[in-house]
Amino acid sequence: MAELLSALFQRPNFVVFVILFLWGIYIMAAHPNYVKKLIGLYIVQTSVIFFLVAFSAKNGATVPIVSGDMAMLDASAFANPLPHVLTVTAIVVQVATLGVSLALVAALYRQYGSLDEDEVVQRVE
Amino acid sequence: MTFELPLLIFLVMTAAGAILVKDLISSVFILGTYSFTLALVWALLGAVDVAFVEAVVGAGLATVFFLLTLFSTLEKDTRLRRSPMPWTAMVGLSIVAILLLYGAADLPAFGDPGSPASTHISPFYLENSVGQTRTPNVVTAILMDYRSLDTLVETIVIFTAGIACALILRKGDS
């Protein structure tokens, strides 16, 4: 138990990821307002990206922009660039999907005149 | 590392504000500060390109999307009382949280240069990208050169999303 607590204390990033991820999932599932559901979705997506980027950090490393003598280059002096590339792609795709879902919410409001899930379900029936 | 812990606390606080505030416009603006704090944390971790993209696309464009939707719909959460958390969600989420935190001890240590993510292919990119692509920024070299097909398909995804938005929001015939 003490080992587990010290392992968690050394990884504050991971604890923050767990909090944001689960809270966002809960809001997505349980909150009746559609815009609030999308805010939960956004928090889930960014928390996963946050988790991935935390793997790229190296102690004492700088940003992955290479300069100086190529023959003497030490890879551990630069942060790992691969998670950065994957997450840059993921952020842009995330905002594109968010735009589509917000358009769906606006169309739903135009049709049923409410952003509340229960009211919309009532009016559909 | 000294600046990181206050930023992480601020991150959780802004996320909580975005979730708990009833006025949706305020909620969206707090979500913008959440995105910007996230960009600061990433800049601190050395992920400057990700921080730029999050500050521009996440804090800027996503906030604008939310605001445009809210201006054409309701600006307030109409529920006055919040329903209590169902016990299934409480039990399920606690179990998942305990399992995730239990697995934390098996993750590589934070900032470890010898972690599996940093040992296989990524030193190759760092050592050879300037010689092969003449680009000092390794992230740009991978994004636009080694993985350019990936980026091409990503632009197709964004194009599809734009077409979908235009088709959904088209007025007139239904």
Side-chain angles (χ1 to χ4, degrees):
Chain A
M1 195 66 200
E3 292 162 27
L4 188 62
L5 281 180
S6 78
L8 287 178
F9 190 70
Q10 287 161 7
R11 299 173 179 81
N13 283 281
F14 186 72
V15 178
V16 170
F17 157 73
V18 171
I19 295 172
L20 293 179
F21 182 74
L22 291 179
W23 203 355
I25 290 250
Y26 171 67
I27 288 297
M28 263 172 79
H31 205 284
N33 190 287
Y34 281 119
V35 176
K36 273 290 166 71
K37 276 180 194 287
L38 291 184
I39 287 176
L41 173 76
Y42 185 80
I43 288 178
V44 169
Q45 289 170 324
T46 45
S47 73
V48 172
I49 293 170
F50 179 65
F51 178 59
L52 280 176
V53 171
F55 278 122
S56 73
K58 293 177 191 168
N59 285 328
T62 180
V63 296
I65 296 174
V66 178
S67 59
D69 188 9
M70 280 312 115
M72 299 293 290
L73 191 127
D74 177 20
S76 67
F78 300 97
N80 184 356
L82 214 50
H84 299 184
V85 177
L86 302 177
T87 50
V88 162
T89 315
I91 290 174
V92 177
V93 170
Q94 154 201 330
V95 173
T97 52
L98 189 74
V100 176
S101 43
L102 280 168
L104 279 172
V105 167
L108 203 68
Y109 181 79
R110 205 185 289 156
Q111 188 80 25
Y112 296 108
S114 174
L115 282 182
D116 193 288
E117 189 179 23
D118 296 346
E119 282 180 32
V120 169
V121 170
Q122 236 171 24
R123 283 172 208 188
V124 170
E125 289 165 352
Chain B
M1 199 66 194
T2 43
F3 289 107
E4 205 190 350
L5 215 54
L7 277 178
L8 290 180
I9 294 169
F10 192 62
L11 191 68
V12 176
M13 276 166 57
T14 45
I19 288 173
L20 295 176
V21 167
K22 296 230 124 195
D23 184 44
L24 291 177
I25 298 266
S26 319
S27 183
V28 165
F29 276 113
I30 297 173
L31 196 69
T33 51
Y34 164 81
S35 279
F36 194 73
T37 317
L38 210 54
L40 287 180
V41 175
W42 284 336
L44 212 59
L45 291 182
V48 273
D49 301 81
V50 190
F52 278 139
V53 172
E54 177 65 26
V56 173
V57 179
L61 197 62
T63 310
V64 170
F65 281 169
F66 269 115
L67 284 180
L68 283 178
T69 313
L70 286 178
F71 286 155
S72 64
T73 59
L74 285 176
E75 296 173 9
K76 275 214 183 350
D77 189 354
T78 49
R79 290 288 177 93
L80 289 178
R81 292 171 58 82
R82 208 175 296 277
S83 54
M85 196 169 176
W87 68 270
T88 46
M90 197 120 55
V91 172
L93 287 180
S94 333
I95 290 174
V96 176
I98 288 168
L99 286 177
L100 279 174
L101 293 175
Y102 181 69
D106 293 334
L107 287 174
F110 181 73
D112 179 15
S115 71
S118 310
T119 46
H120 291 283
I121 187 77
S122 101
F124 172 83
Y125 286 132
L126 283 166
E127 282 155 11
N128 297 313
S129 72
V130 173
Q132 290 179 346
T133 65
R134 306 274 162 219
T135 311
N137 189 337
V138 184
V139 176
T140 314
I142 299 175
L143 193 70
M144 288 296 170
D145 204 309
Y146 294 104
R147 291 183 172 267
S148 50
L149 276 177
D150 218 357
T151 311
L152 177 70
V153 178
E154 181 202 347
T155 59
I156 295 173
V157 170
I158 297 166
F159 180 65
T160 317
I163 289 179
C165 278
L167 287 178
I168 291 167
L169 291 176
R170 189 176 51 177
K171 286 188 175 129
D173 54 349
S174 58

